[in-house]
Amino acid sequence: MAFDEEWAAARTAAAANVSMRLNHVPADPGNGGGGDLELNQDHIGAVGSEAFKLHERLSTDGKHANVATSDAAGALSKESFASGAALLKVNSRWESQVKTLVAACANISNGLNYSLSSHNKDEKQLYAEFTTSKIDEYLK
């Protein structure tokens, strides 16, 4: 079988598989429920807490080798080794990636904290509205 034919067959099979997954809900999705979204505040809080811890650790531990690597790159470049410039580029890329991960962890932690507080506020508002409507029923 030629590559083009094999590739076409693989694409067709993948498209059929995706279509089945998108258009079909398994009889037992594994959670035993009906597919409603459940907000477990303990789990979300734990994930947010771990994201914050990772943020803190990456902010410090991700930069341990920065000074030594920069010094080594400078020394190699001073002696006309091409690896000095390459090492400096690697160090710069590393710093960029650490900053990206730190920002992502902060975003996750802050987003989950916001979601929890927003959910709590919404719950209190709904409870107040429900209670008020029950009071109105009794007063009428």
Side-chain angles (χ1 to χ4, degrees):
M1 179 181 282
F3 174 78
D4 291 335
E5 293 169 343
E6 191 173 343
W7 180 249
R11 284 191 329 191
T12 302
N17 189 18
V18 167
S19 177
M20 275 183 45
R21 283 187 283 153
L22 292 176
N23 295 326
H24 178 264
V25 176
D28 181 16
N31 63 2
D36 287 339
L37 177 64
E38 291 184 27
L39 178 67
N40 185 321
Q41 294 187 1
D42 292 336
H43 291 153
I44 289 177
V47 171
S49 177
E50 290 301 316
F52 180 75
K53 289 177 190 175
L54 185 57
H55 171 271
E56 294 296 306
R57 293 276 319 266
L58 278 172
S59 295
T60 56
D61 295 347
K63 300 175 183 177
H64 281 311
N66 185 32
V67 174
T69 304
S70 294
D71 290 347
L76 288 168
S77 294
K78 184 178 177 184
E79 297 297 326
S80 301
F81 285 102
S83 58
L87 186 57
L88 191 58
K89 185 175 182 178
V90 166
N91 190 46
S92 174
R93 181 65 58 93
W94 175 263
E95 288 297 312
S96 171
Q97 295 300 315
V98 166
K99 286 178 185 176
T100 300
L101 285 172
V102 167
C105 289
N107 193 18
I108 290 168
S109 178
N110 292 339
L112 291 175
N113 286 340
Y114 174 79
S115 293
L116 286 175
S117 65
S118 176
H119 177 73
N120 287 335
K121 182 179 144 190
D122 291 345
E123 286 289 316
K124 288 177 184 175
Q125 180 67 30
L126 289 171
Y127 180 77
E129 288 174 3
F130 178 73
T131 304
T132 305
S133 69
K134 283 294 185 189
I135 292 171
D136 283 346
E137 273 183 38
Y138 291 124
L139 292 176
K140 290 181 182 179

